[in-house]
Amino acid sequence: MSQRSRTSVAALAATLVLLAAGCTGIGSGVRGTPGAAGLRDPYFPKLGNGGYDVGHYGLTLAYDPASGRLDGTAEITARATQDLSAFNLDLAGLTVRRATVDGTPAAYNRAGNELTLRPREELPEGAEFRATVTYSGVPEPITDADGSEEGWLRTPGGAVAVGEPTGSMTWFPGNHHLSDKASYDLTLTLPAGVEGVSNGVRTARRTEQDGRVTTVWHTAEPMASYLATVAIGRYETGTATALGTVPVLTAAEPPAAVASAALRKEIPGILARQVKRFGPYPFSAAGAVVTENGSLHYALETQTRPVFPARSFDRTTLVHEQAHQWFGNSVTPETWRDIWLNEGFATYAEWLYSEEYEHVPARTRFERAFAQDTNWAFPPAAPPAAENLFDPPVYQRGAMVLHKLRETVGDRVFDEILRGWAAKYRHANATTDDFTAYAESVAGRDLDALWDVWLYGDGKPAKP
């Protein structure tokens, strides 16, 4: 991420009967216990849900840009990690029309952003199940603690969905903590003349009998839900190939389509350079989406296809967001406290790019960052609150940690750490402790003095 600043009486009665039966367990033989309503993240304790692990999301969406109405069905394939009598999904706003578990109607109720489903029969530990939720409404964005907006952002001609850290719950139900990654298939139906773009590989495009156009998108590799995206509007698209086999699809809204065309064509070359430094590209697709200025006020590393407002689509930001495909998207933090593993690494990728291709030494960038007082407000591994997750210390001081590591262990060992880290935790989750332990194992030495000052220290050192 770039640094950012009326129901019928009959229907109601039927629902109440079903809910009562489900909640009392009459005739159900339920012996399990409900899954937790949150995963106790340090900053978002109610985000995510316990008792199951999602393997796949199948999302079927239809959107009307004129009214802002979204109609959706989410098929969530998951495995129970305990005997489950009920489980929760994160969902903000929107109206649930129907819910089933393994094809059988399930009782459901809402409390804030928690949607609780209670299946007719218990789900034994280890069992795979499929929860299907049909829903509709006009999605509303979320205003974060730092004042920025995320989620489903309506634009003059469509919408753009960005989800860091919690916004994906505004457009589909799920286990929306970054520790539960899954594969995705998304089917998007839009009015004729409106283009839709999402993550991964576009596997189908067809015109329906009513004239609407449907596209289908497949994301094979695990993805945290905050990295899922949909961009809807009058986009112009372009295609290319990177790294010999990786399809590159870019999309841009006028007038940004013309202004961004040259830089969008550089994506294969940038990825080729990053592969040399970070190791094999971790995904089966690549690209970028450039939106009109207005609704989106920051760039985000949405998986395989980062999203940029036109004003932020420059080479430095593009390098940053593409580096996130390794650091953040493939190697994903275990909790939001570890966000510097995303942003510090992507910021240092900027420094490495400048050093190699623009002849500005990383040490120069380090010294500039060292001189900025805003970078010393808190340690990068310990943001004090949710509103500080995207503050300068996470980015700039996070990058400083990596540069001091490089200076301490030398370029050869540092490059081995950088590539090895991306390989060891490819498509997995990791913590700050995982990184420090890995770096020490590769370096063959204790690095506590470095971590104590640069990663965890409260004060600014006397010298850079």
Side-chain angles (χ1 to χ4, degrees):
M1 181 180 187
S2 62
Q3 200 164 326
R4 66 179 185 181
S5 332
R6 179 159 112 167
T7 302
S8 70
V9 173
L12 180 60
T15 299
L16 290 174
V17 168
L18 179 60
L19 184 59
C23 290
T24 59
I26 294 174
S28 68
V30 170
R31 298 180 301 278
T33 56
L39 293 180
R40 306 176 73 87
D41 186 270
Y43 305 104
F44 309 99
K46 289 297 183 69
L47 189 64
N49 305 281
Y52 65 94
D53 179 73
V54 178
H56 181 260
Y57 289 93
L59 305 177
T60 302
L61 307 176
Y63 184 65
D64 177 21
S67 65
R69 178 184 172 91
L70 177 70
D71 291 282
T73 298
E75 293 187 356
I76 302 166
T77 304
R79 179 181 56 84
T81 57
Q82 66 179 66
D83 291 342
L84 276 177
S85 61
F87 59 92
N88 284 25
L89 300 169
D90 303 309
L91 182 64
L94 303 174
T95 299
V96 174
R97 304 295 181 184
R98 185 171 183 263
T100 66
V101 175
D102 291 333
T104 301
Y108 61 87
N109 67 289
R110 302 288 297 274
N113 294 333
E114 299 290 336
L115 168 64
T116 302
L117 271 61
R118 188 174 294 272
R120 287 285 183 88
E121 302 291 338
E122 85 168 345
L123 299 170
E125 181 179 356
E128 184 176 274
F129 64 94
R130 187 180 73 255
T132 303
V133 180
T134 302
Y135 58 97
S136 63
V138 177
E140 296 291 339
I142 290 173
T143 300
D144 291 334
D146 63 3
S148 60
E149 283 195 332
E150 57 159 326
W152 189 275
L153 307 178
R154 196 168 176 183
T155 67
V160 59
V162 290
E164 189 174 27
T166 68
S168 293
M169 70 171 71
T170 66
W171 59 282
F172 68 96
N175 194 6
H176 286 300
H177 191 263
L178 75 177
S179 62
D180 193 1
K181 301 164 72 169
S183 60
Y184 282 69
D185 284 285
L186 186 145
T187 300
L188 179 63
T189 300
L190 300 168
V194 179
E195 188 71 45
V197 180
S198 189
N199 312 87
V201 177
R202 185 172 62 192
T203 60
R205 181 186 180 94
R206 62 179 180 266
T207 300
E208 309 293 351
Q209 291 185 346
D210 60 4
R212 295 185 300 169
V213 176
T214 296
T215 54
V216 182
W217 303 83
H218 176 61
T219 300
E221 300 87 3
M223 178 168 71
S225 66
Y226 81 90
L227 297 168
T229 190
V230 172
I232 298 168
R234 304 280 177 180
Y235 285 94
E236 297 179 14
T237 62
T239 59
T241 302
L243 309 172
T245 59
V246 177
V248 178
L249 186 149
T250 64
E253 287 186 292
V258 174
S260 67
L263 185 54
R264 285 188 283 137
K265 289 179 180 178
E266 291 188 29
I267 289 174
I270 289 172
L271 289 177
R273 291 164 179 164
Q274 291 180 323
V275 161
K276 291 179 181 179
R277 203 79 195 234
F278 308 144
Y281 182 66
F283 300 113
S284 53
V289 175
V290 184
T291 71
E292 288 186 86
N293 293 320
S295 299
L296 181 64
H297 299 290
Y298 50 86
L300 184 66
E301 63 270 19
T302 45
Q303 191 158 303
T304 69
R305 199 154 288 118
V307 178
F308 305 80
R311 67 171 64 89
S312 296
F313 192 62
D314 55 61
R315 186 172 288 100
T316 297
T317 309
L318 178 58
V319 166
H320 180 108
E321 305 304 344
Q322 294 292 3
H324 273 308
Q325 306 309 309
W326 286 264
F327 307 111
N329 297 9
S330 177
V331 183
T332 304
E334 184 69 29
T335 76
W336 285 106
R337 188 185 299 279
D338 302 304
I339 188 63
W340 85 275
L341 294 172
N342 291 19
E343 303 302 349
F345 278 68
T347 300
Y348 199 65
E350 298 175 33
W351 296 9
L352 291 173
Y353 186 90
S354 293
E355 181 173 71
E356 190 166 357
Y357 301 104
E358 298 174 350
H359 310 295
V360 179
R363 179 69 191 188
T364 299
R365 301 288 296 271
F366 172 87
E367 290 173 353
R368 291 172 184 170
F370 184 88
Q372 296 295 316
D373 290 342
T374 54
N375 293 328
W376 299 96
F378 56 84
E387 58 263 35
N388 305 116
L389 289 179
F390 306 106
D391 280 1
V394 174
Y395 292 72
Q396 299 293 322
R397 189 171 165 190
M400 280 191 273
V401 171
L402 295 176
H403 190 73
K404 291 302 293 186
L405 175 62
R406 178 184 174 185
E407 292 186 331
T408 301
V409 303
D411 281 3
R412 183 189 62 80
V413 174
F414 178 75
D415 286 347
E416 185 179 350
I417 291 170
L418 206 58
R419 292 172 63 91
W421 173 249
K424 181 177 176 63
Y425 289 94
R426 181 182 173 97
H427 301 315
N429 294 88
T431 66
T432 296
D433 286 347
D434 290 330
F435 176 71
T436 56
Y438 180 76
E440 290 182 350
S441 71
V442 175
R445 55 189 288 194
D446 185 292
L447 297 170
D448 281 353
L450 188 157
W451 313 132
D452 288 347
V453 174
W454 297 94
L455 184 57
Y456 296 111
D458 287 326
K460 182 177 179 179
K463 293 189 294 184

